[in-house]
Amino acid sequence: MSAVTFIHTSDLQLGMTRKFLSAEAQSRFDDARLAAVAALGRLATSRGAEFIVVAGDVFEHNSLEKQTRGRALEALKALPVPVYLLPGNHDPLVADSMFMDTQVVDSVHVLDSFEPVTVREGVEIVGAPLTAKFASEDLVAKALRPLGPTEAVRIAVGHGQVETRMGEPAVDTIDLTNVEAKLADATIDYLALGDTHSTRQLGASGKVWFSGSPETTDFHDRRLGAAGNETDSGNALVVTLDKGQVEVEKVHVGTWVFDALHWEVTEDADVDRILEQLQAYPDKARTVVKYSIDGTLGLAATQRLEQGIADVEPVFAALYERDRLMNLHLEPSEEELADLPLSGFARATLDELLSTADSQPSRDAINLLFRLSKED
């Protein structure tokens, strides 16, 4: 029997830190990344998968603390099925590699050469490990070059891109046309890729996939027309292969959310909409939101917006402004200015602050003056 079901994942990046997280939130983020490993094991059990393939970047880098590496290895050893680890650009197979002495038990395997590995009779894995942070050639092509068609189910595992952002191929760009030819002549039956952190199918065969990271690592920019970053992360792929046949199921396993939001404001109702959207996140302790606001609001609306955000900020893992995109203008109505019981120095101070109301310190000062005058 050559049919096989396995879990395709990548970019665990165990040991990753995020500068916008507090120490307390970072600790929970660390735990979530280890918990994602356990979630992959549960998925393997529930789907009857025989093994797990990690297509690169198991670790954030090769200089992690011993405690981080030790906990990561314990999580990998605890998996209910064998796991095959490919060195990627974050953790290349160099002298100080995190993979040195990693094969501590039979169930943890490092794809440290370009030679096919027999998983069981009729099933092979061929890896394309990075032996430097930057590859000098198409490593997937290097792995496939000496191989010919086979009756076994053969899974190729690589880490890198099939195209560059500039449109011109780099020396390490994976040649997708070559891969599709190797799929067509039965040299391989599936290419498991890592590097992109969002799930994505490539080519026309349905047999080349980025699994994406099983736990979110970066922001999904939800501005209209925004591109890049992570639009579909937190998944793992359940792949069922037989010769000439493939079935790929995307399963969400992540628990964290990273959103980049942008709001246009002109009236009080916009403030309600923003605060309602923030309140609607179901698990704020595992949610990071960075935001920008564009438009004008009066004194009362600005104060309500900023107070509402300040009230909810402590319960998020992180909630903060995107300074370079903030364009919120304070524009008090004539009624608001007329209602303020200010005169003399206080009125002159307000007028001066209003002339620089586009800055956050001025808005803070105006809001304070507004609140104090109302209390009086």
Side-chain angles (χ1 to χ4, degrees):
M1 180 186 71
S2 60
V4 62
T5 296
F6 66 97
I7 305 300
H8 168 198
T9 187
S10 71
D11 300 277
L12 305 181
Q13 292 189 220
L14 301 172
M16 169 183 280
T17 59
R18 303 278 78 175
K19 63 182 180 181
F20 44 75
L21 294 177
S22 66
E24 179 269 337
Q26 179 64 54
S27 178
R28 286 186 284 105
F29 187 62
D30 293 340
D31 289 342
R33 305 200 74 74
L34 287 174
V37 176
L40 294 171
R42 292 192 296 272
L43 181 61
T45 299
S46 68
R47 295 299 196 276
E50 295 184 39
F51 54 89
I52 297 170
V53 168
V54 184
D57 288 356
V58 179
F59 301 102
E60 172 67 354
H61 50 72
N62 276 331
S63 301
L64 296 177
E65 295 180 357
K66 290 183 178 180
Q67 180 187 49
T68 302
R69 181 180 184 274
R71 292 182 67 195
L73 291 178
E74 287 297 310
L76 293 168
K77 287 161 56 179
L79 288 168
V81 296
V83 58
Y84 293 85
L85 311 175
L86 182 77
N89 63 297
H90 276 256
D91 51 9
L93 200 62
V94 293
D96 64 344
S97 171
M98 295 293 289
F99 294 107
M100 295 301 178
D101 301 322
T102 293
Q103 291 179 256
V104 292
V105 293
D106 291 340
S107 61
V108 181
H109 307 272
V110 179
L111 299 171
D112 56 3
S113 78
F114 294 85
E115 296 296 321
V117 175
T118 300
V119 176
R120 63 163 169 82
E121 185 178 356
V123 179
E124 295 180 354
I125 297 176
V126 57
L130 272 83
T131 56
K133 189 170 182 61
F134 302 101
S136 59
E137 62 178 306
D138 176 354
L139 296 180
V140 171
K142 178 180 178 179
L144 301 185
R145 193 172 297 125
L147 304 178
T150 176
E151 293 182 359
V153 169
R154 184 182 283 152
I155 301 152
V157 187
H159 190 85
Q161 296 296 316
V162 301
E163 57 186 10
T164 64
R165 293 180 181 178
M166 302 302 293
E168 296 182 3
V171 292
D172 60 344
T173 302
I174 298 168
D175 184 348
L176 185 56
T177 301
N178 176 61
V179 170
E180 292 283 11
K182 295 295 186 180
L183 288 164
D185 73 6
T187 297
I188 58 173
D189 299 283
Y190 183 86
L191 174 58
L193 285 177
D195 194 34
T196 290
H197 290 195
S198 293
T199 304
R200 181 184 169 197
Q201 180 185 335
L202 301 169
S205 66
K207 300 178 181 180
V208 183
W209 285 78
F210 283 116
S211 65
S213 172
E215 189 57 86
T216 299
T217 64
D218 207 347
F219 290 91
H220 182 177
D221 196 334
R222 297 185 181 275
R223 291 177 299 163
L224 184 63
N229 294 331
E230 294 184 28
T231 58
D232 191 17
S233 58
N235 305 313
L237 300 180
V238 182
V239 183
T240 300
L241 280 181
D242 205 345
K243 216 58 186 168
Q245 299 180 8
V246 63
E247 180 181 333
V248 180
E249 177 191 4
K250 181 178 73 173
V251 180
H252 192 75
V253 295
T255 59
W256 279 64
V257 173
F258 284 42
D259 275 350
L261 305 179
H262 179 74
W263 297 303
E264 303 282 343
V265 296
T266 58
E267 57 185 5
D268 287 6
D270 295 325
V271 175
D272 295 330
R273 174 172 55 87
I274 291 171
L275 298 181
E276 288 169 4
Q277 184 175 357
L278 291 175
Q279 287 289 357
Y281 280 98
D283 191 355
K284 299 178 182 62
R286 291 182 175 85
T287 300
V288 178
V289 173
K290 62 179 181 180
Y291 63 89
S292 56
I293 305 174
D294 186 20
T296 59
L297 290 173
L299 277 169
T302 299
Q303 183 187 13
R304 188 161 64 88
L305 171 63
E306 296 186 346
Q307 187 60 53
I309 291 176
D311 288 343
V312 76
E313 184 271 335
V315 299
F316 277 84
L319 175 62
Y320 62 97
E321 290 184 1
R322 306 178 73 176
D323 292 335
R324 66 183 181 83
L325 297 178
M326 284 293 292
N327 193 31
L328 178 61
H329 301 271
L330 184 61
E331 194 172 281
S333 67
E334 293 183 3
E335 293 80 1
E336 285 179 319
L337 292 176
D339 286 345
L340 290 178
L342 300 176
S343 60
F345 177 76
R347 171 60 68 171
T349 299
L350 175 62
D351 292 340
E352 183 177 349
L353 288 170
L354 287 172
S355 68
T356 59
D358 290 347
S359 70
Q360 184 63 47
S362 292
R363 291 205 306 272
D364 290 342
I366 292 169
N367 285 330
L368 177 61
L369 190 59
F370 177 68
R371 185 170 67 251
L372 292 174
S373 67
K374 288 298 185 181
E375 290 175 357
D376 289 342

